[in-house]
Amino acid sequence: PITLSDFSVFVSVVQSPTVVSPLEQLSAREREVMHLAIEGKSSAEIATLLHISLSTVNTYRSRLMGKLGVSDIASLVRYAAEHGLMSVS
């Protein structure tokens, strides 16, 4: 038989919010900007490639870095390497 304790554990598991990785929180455009940035593209180059303004690139870059908890491009590249987001070519 199911005890009250078993039921309480079941309810707490069902009600627990799903943990979403920081990478899953990125929009498709933020991921595009991130990949271009870790390839070494400047904000101006990214803007040209994606046909968006420099200001928009900087907004995406700021948002994605905030979501990933990194503060500079070197940290972003390190994060990408640690999470298998970079290809060696």
Side-chain angles (χ1 to χ4, degrees), residues 11-89:
V11 168
S12 69
V13 169
V14 170
Q15 291 178 343
S16 295
T18 304
V19 176
V20 178
S21 82
L23 288 172
E24 291 174 13
Q25 295 176 15
L26 299 181
S27 70
R29 190 59 110 179
E30 288 168 340
R31 283 192 294 276
E32 283 182 292
V33 170
M34 177 186 68
H35 285 291
L36 292 169
I38 63 177
E39 288 176 3
K41 303 282 190 246
S42 69
S43 292
E45 291 171 316
I46 294 169
T48 300
L49 287 168
L50 298 181
H51 307 286
I52 58 179
S53 73
L54 181 58
S55 174
T56 300
V57 171
N58 290 331
T59 296
Y60 283 128
R61 187 182 297 224
S62 175
R63 286 183 186 167
L64 76 88
M65 291 173 72
K67 289 178 182 180
L68 299 179
V70 298
S71 58
D72 54 39
I73 295 300
S75 298
L76 179 61
V77 171
R78 187 176 318 108
Y79 183 97
E82 290 171 353
H83 291 85
L85 303 175
M86 299 175 66
S87 60
V88 178
S89 53

